[in-house]
Amino acid sequence: MSIGLIALLDDIAALAKVAAVTLDDVAAQATKAATKAAGIVIDDAAVTPRYAVGFAAARELPIVGKIAWGSLKNKMLFLLPGALLLSALAPWAITPLLMIGGLYLCYEGFEKVLEMVVPHGEKAAAPDPLAAAPADAAALESQRVAGAIRTDFILSAEIMAIALSTITSPSLWTQALILAVVGLGITVLVYGAVALIVKADDVGLALAQSSRPVTGLGHVMRGRPTELEPRGPSALDRAVSRLTQPVGRGLVFGMPYFLKTLSLVGTLAMLWVGGGIIVHGLAGYGLAGIEHAIHGVAVAVAAVVPAVKAAVEWLVTAVASGLLGLALGGVVFLVMHYVVEPLMHRRGATGAH
């Protein structure tokens, strides 16, 4: 009896070890996949706050919550099963689809860089799709949320495709678990950051105006000043407000610049990720010349500063991939605007006749 019990305990211990190794592997691969998708994640966090613009402060977090829930459903109900089916039935299609997505990222990144360098007067004058909205606040909110979820679907598809391409395990269950961890983790990360961003200016304004940052903490955290409260500030309030009021003014002043910086970083990261996807995809098809050239330049530059060799090698690789992504995005931009769009207009005109 005791021998059987010992054998059972040994089996349980062995299963626990396997489970621990599997979980470690899932965590490592999920982290790697999330890192690869960094450009899309940053861009998503930079773009999403605009969908909450123009609403009462009390509606900002509920709107972000609805978009986050829609994003999670995009990933878990549609994209995750689709990725698993693709992995099981047509794994050969993953790399081409990923490269198409990489070209799309390069195109989007190029358009944003072009807009920064040469602002498009016509685009600036054109009506914003977010502005052309119904007068009813509830209908406007539903329209904004639906638009954000549609945009998120494209970005989430890229994230899940990148995650799938990094998974080395042949097990569909492990792949599903990694994709689920990536999907949930990135959704929480992105929309948690978005929630902080959209409330930062309100909280900053409340901090700047509040004379009771300690005793009126609940009001401050909800973005409401506390001067009109019947109870006056305590000695601790007066002491702390000397710090919190300048911090609040800094938040109000700094958030527009922070959002612009975040948008710039997201654009650069999109070009880096898109270019890197194309480089690795070509190498996978035996065209590794570009990848070897970038690696050679990165190693040569890093050798000049051995103290930070790894960081410099990564930076040079990222910059080279980003420049390639910018060039590819420019080519796609020209094709889209000077070949595809004229053909579509011509076809539409022919169809009208």
Side-chain angles (χ1 to χ4, degrees):
M1 190 72 175
S2 59
I3 293 174
L5 180 59
I6 291 172
L8 177 60
L9 291 175
D10 282 344
D11 289 342
I12 292 173
L15 287 172
K17 287 180 181 178
V18 170
V21 169
T22 302
L23 289 176
D24 285 344
D25 188 43
V26 167
Q29 292 194 52
T31 302
K32 181 181 177 182
T35 303
K36 287 268 188 179
I40 307 166
V41 171
I42 295 170
D43 187 65
D44 205 1
V47 168
T48 305
R50 76 191 183 108
Y51 290 99
V53 171
F55 290 96
R59 293 304 307 159
E60 289 176 341
L61 289 183
I63 288 171
V64 173
K66 288 179 180 180
I67 298 171
W69 179 242
S71 173
L72 195 61
K73 289 196 290 186
N74 281 342
K75 295 181 181 76
M76 299 301 179
L77 298 183
F78 305 108
L79 296 172
L80 192 154
L84 293 177
L85 283 174
L86 191 66
S87 178
L89 302 178
W92 53 267
I94 295 174
T95 298
L97 288 174
L98 198 58
M99 292 178 72
I100 292 170
L103 283 175
Y104 173 78
L105 290 177
C106 294
Y107 169 68
E108 286 285 301
F110 178 85
E111 274 204 321
K112 291 185 178 184
V113 170
L114 185 63
E115 177 64 28
M116 292 175 193
V117 177
V118 186
H120 306 324
E122 291 183 4
K123 272 195 174 180
D128 187 342
L130 296 182
D136 179 63
L140 172 59
E141 181 175 316
S142 297
Q143 186 183 77
R144 291 274 185 93
V145 169
I149 292 172
R150 283 194 299 271
T151 301
D152 173 88
F153 188 89
I154 298 171
L155 298 174
S156 293
E158 277 297 301
I159 289 169
M160 298 301 268
I162 291 172
L164 183 63
S165 71
T166 65
I167 298 174
T168 57
S169 173
S171 167
L172 280 180
W173 290 109
T174 303
Q175 291 177 15
L177 185 56
I178 292 170
L179 290 174
V181 169
V182 170
L184 178 61
I186 284 182
T187 302
V188 171
L189 175 65
V190 168
Y191 291 99
V194 169
L196 290 175
I197 289 169
V198 299
K199 296 306 294 181
D201 54 348
D202 293 332
V203 172
L205 183 62
L207 283 172
Q209 295 178 344
S210 176
S211 59
R212 297 198 304 111
V214 178
T215 57
L217 183 61
H219 288 267
V220 170
M221 294 309 295
R222 289 191 294 270
R224 301 172 185 170
T226 56
E227 282 78 356
L228 300 179
E229 294 294 316
R231 185 171 54 184
S234 66
L236 183 59
D237 282 322
R238 286 191 292 270
V240 173
S241 65
R242 294 174 186 171
L243 174 65
T244 57
Q245 287 179 345
V247 168
R249 288 192 291 269
L251 278 173
V252 173
F253 177 78
M255 280 309 296
Y257 297 99
F258 171 77
L259 286 172
K260 287 181 181 178
T261 302
L262 186 65
S263 179
L264 174 62
V265 171
T267 299
L268 296 177
M270 286 174 74
L271 291 169
W272 156 53
V273 172
I277 288 172
I278 300 301
V279 169
H280 293 308
L282 291 174
Y285 287 117
L287 303 172
I290 298 176
E291 187 174 53
H292 289 159
I294 291 175
H295 180 69
V297 172
V299 169
V301 174
V304 179
V305 279
V308 284
K309 181 179 178 181
V312 171
E313 187 174 333
W314 177 88
L315 181 61
V316 173
T317 301
V319 170
S321 298
L323 290 174
L324 177 65
L326 185 65
L328 290 171
V331 172
V332 176
F333 178 86
L334 292 174
V335 171
M336 289 296 297
H337 286 271
Y338 294 101
V339 178
V340 176
E341 286 184 3
L343 286 175
M344 291 179 66
H345 284 309
R346 189 178 303 171
R347 180 174 294 182
T350 304
H353 291 299

